[in-house]
Structure formats: C-alpha cells, structure tokens
Amino acid sequence: MGRLQGQVALVTGGAGGLGRAIVERFIGEGARCAVLDRSAAGLAALEQAFGDKVAVIQGDVREAEVNDRAVALTLERFGTLDCFIGNAGLWDFNRPLVSLCGAELTAGFDELFGVNVLGYLHGARASAAALRQSGGSMIFTLSNAAHLPNGGGVLYTASKHAGVGLVRQLAYELAPNIRVNAVAPGGILTGLTGPASLGLNDRDIRSIGFETVADRIVPLGFIPTVEEYVPAYVFLAARAENVPATGMVLNYDGGLSIRGFMSPNGQEIAQ
Ligand SMILES: NC(=O)c1ccc[n+]([C@@H]2O[C@H](COP(=O)([O-])OP(=O)(O)OC[C@H]3O[C@@H](n4cnc5c(N)ncnc54)[C@H](O)[C@@H]3O)[C@@H](O)[C@H]2O)c1
C-alpha cells in the first residue's frame, strides 16, 4: 500500500524535470495525477507511460481559464482533488538588472512573474474549492533563491521570494481547511529554461556547468537528482505525516542556505 494510496494530485509543469519525477513517484505511491503543462510532447510521454493513472491538459499556467479547465478535468476524471502542486517555472540565467534595457525588464518581468507567481496564484485559486471539500493541501516549488541572492538574477530571486509570501498568505487565508506548504530545492540538472522575451527559451540550466563546481559550492558536495528531491513532496502530501504543517517552506537544498562566508562547509577554518 503506497503512502498516497487513493489520492489525486494536480501538478503544473509535470511533463518535465522535477514535476515529472513528482508524478512518477506519486503514481508509484498509489496516487493518480492530473498534469498541466505547455509541452505537448512531454504530456504525450506521460500518457504513454502511465495510461489512465494520468489526465493531461496542455496550456499555459498564466491563463486563468486553463487552470479552471485543469481542475475541472481532474474532478471529471478522478472525482476529487487532494493536492495541488504549483511547480511550473522559468529561470533567468542570473541576468543582472543593469544588463536589461527598460523594454527587456518589462517583458522579462511579465513573463517570469507570470509563470512563477501569477501561475501559482491561478492554480491555487482554481483548486481552492475542491481542496476545501477534500481537506487537501497545496505544495509549491520554490528555490534556494526564495531566501538568498545569486541563485538567479533579480527577476528569478524576486519571484521566488514572492513565493514565500504567497505560501504564508495563502496558508493564513485558507486555514483551517487547506494546508499550504512549499519545498525550496537547490540546483538540479533539469531542462529548466528561461523567458522567451529575454531570448532564454532555447537554453536550459544544464548549460551553465553547475556540475563542474558543485563540490565547491554545495555544502553536501553534490547535486541531488530529481528523484532525491521528490520525497519532500510525498511527505507534504501524505496527510497523516505532516499534521501540524502549514505555511512551511522546507529548505531542501544540499545545505545552500547554511553555506558559510569563507567556505561552503567550514573545513578550511577547522584546519
Ligand atoms: N532546476 C533547478 O536548478 C531548480 C532549482 C530550484 C528550483 N527549481 C524550480 O523547480 C520547478 C520545476 O523546474 P524544473 O527544474 O523541473 O524545470 P523543467 O523545465 O525541467 O520543468 C518545468 C516544466 O514546466 C513547464 N512549463 C514552463 N512554463 C510553463 C507555462 N507557462 N505553462 C505550463 N507549463 C510550463 C515546462 O514545459 C516543463 O515541463 C520550477 O519552479 C523551478 O523554478 C528548479
């Protein structure tokens, strides 16, 4: 018997990277998953792999009506919704503010905040009634950039900091019926892309060579895989295992949030 037996989750950005790993693991734990993603190929691959355990909807998380349709499809196919996972995101490849002209800043802001913040709010809005009925929860993917500088540029960092406010305010507004929590992962080697408006849609985060410096940057000395991040989502979705949790942002980042000033792990000072 899986830890999420009989549960139903709706995952945005579930056709690739971390989201796809969440879907795989949730289904392995006995759940069924609806997935909202813009990638037709990624969604088709999910259907191929998981058959009637998944329901897919192609669209852009920035659109209110797409989120409404995703929740309606979830209820139609699976009869309930226990967990909304807001996860679809864009990165800004550390673009500094002064590298952006006025028009780029406006367009990049609209696109990146549209996906990373407005997309999460639309998902939360669309799923709230169903979650209230099931006594369910919301989980959002944030980042080390939700707490610290230099995990992105100012657009990404500000958008993930906004995610912390979103989690806390929604946890407050939706208590006691719906729990709202977040996972803040560190760097992961996924297909994470950037805003088309900044010309960053054809690159992904694997192109920056993070793996060549991870042992010097990450206190635990390695880059966790998507599969290693997913148990945090299982924990936050499994009702019996997180009874007191709401408004919580789980730092889950290989130690990036306790990285020291002089070295990542204090070894130089100890010698
Ligand atoms: N990769 C990392 O280093 C890292 C680190 C910390 C946090 N995160 C966060 O993890 C989350 C997932 O990212 P990932 O690394 O798995 O990237 P990914 O690109 O592999 O997966 C993201 C998915 O979201 C989808 N998507 C993007 N924009 C969309 C839109 N407007 N509408 C619908 N679907 C959309 C993509 O098609 C893709 O399937 C993001 O919120 C990201 O900020 C990633």
Side-chain angles (χ1 to χ4, degrees), residues 14 22 27 42 54 61 93-94 96 116 134 161 164 178-179 193 205 208 216-217 223-224 237 239 246 250 263:
I22 292 169
I27 289 175
V54 291
V61 293
F93 291 80
N94 285 52
N116 293 8
S134 67
H161 274 62
V164 177
I178 304 171
R179 291 165 300 111
T193 60
I205 196 167
I208 67 167
R216 281 178 284 129
I217 290 179
I223 304 173
R239 291 174 197 203
T246 197
L250 185 62
S263 72

Side-chain angles (χ1 to χ4, degrees), residues 11-255:
V11 185
T12 72
L18 181 59
R20 159 108 193 192
I22 292 169
V23 171
E24 277 191 48
R25 177 69 188 268
F26 271 44
I27 289 175
E29 294 285 353
R32 287 165 297 166
C33 291
V35 177
L36 166 56
D37 201 291
R38 65 182 179 181
S39 165
L43 292 172
L46 275 179
E47 282 184 306
Q48 173 102 29
F50 300 111
D52 61 6
K53 294 195 174 76
V54 291
V56 304
I57 178 156
Q58 188 191 2
D60 191 316
V61 293
R62 290 173 289 180
E63 291 174 22
E65 173 271 339
V66 167
N67 287 272
D68 291 332
R69 273 199 287 130
V71 172
L73 176 75
T74 310
L75 297 176
E76 188 187 306
R77 281 284 300 279
F78 302 133
T80 187
L81 176 62
D82 299 290
C83 186
F84 169 72
I85 301 183
N87 169 76
L90 296 178
W91 192 50
D92 64 1
F93 291 80
N94 285 52
R95 285 288 301 268
L97 180 69
V98 294
S99 75
L100 302 168
C101 71
E104 284 175 325
L105 179 57
T106 300
F109 177 93
D110 285 348
E111 188 173 353
L112 197 139
F113 268 71
V115 178
N116 293 8
V117 184
L118 181 62
Y120 281 10
L121 289 172
H122 273 313
R125 176 196 55 75
S127 60
L131 292 173
R132 182 170 289 117
Q133 204 153 25
S134 67
S137 71
M138 300 181 185
I139 307 171
F140 294 96
T141 300
L142 298 182
S143 165
N144 51 289
H147 304 293
L148 299 164
N150 197 221
V154 70
L155 289 176
Y156 187 74
T157 303
S159 78
K160 292 297 182 180
H161 274 62
V164 177
L166 179 157
V167 165
R168 291 183 177 147
Q169 182 67 23
L170 291 183
Y172 167 75
E173 288 185 16
L174 299 172
N177 308 103
I178 304 171
R179 291 165 300 111
V180 183
N181 296 292
V183 179
I188 329 170
L189 302 177
T190 65
L192 184 63
T193 60
S197 54
L198 298 180
L200 296 171
N201 51 317
D202 286 332
R203 285 185 70 187
D204 74 48
I205 196 167
R206 290 168 295 202
S207 67
I208 67 167
F210 185 36
E211 69 281 6
T212 62
V213 292
D215 58 339
R216 281 178 284 129
I217 290 179
V218 184
L220 291 186
F222 68 99
I223 304 173
T225 62
V226 284
E227 289 79 14
E228 288 167 332
Y229 277 108
V230 163
Y233 294 81
V234 177
F235 161 65
L236 288 174
R239 291 174 197 203
E241 296 181 27
N242 61 71
V243 169
T246 197
M248 181 177 84
V249 179
L250 185 62
N251 284 340
Y252 210 58
D253 58 7

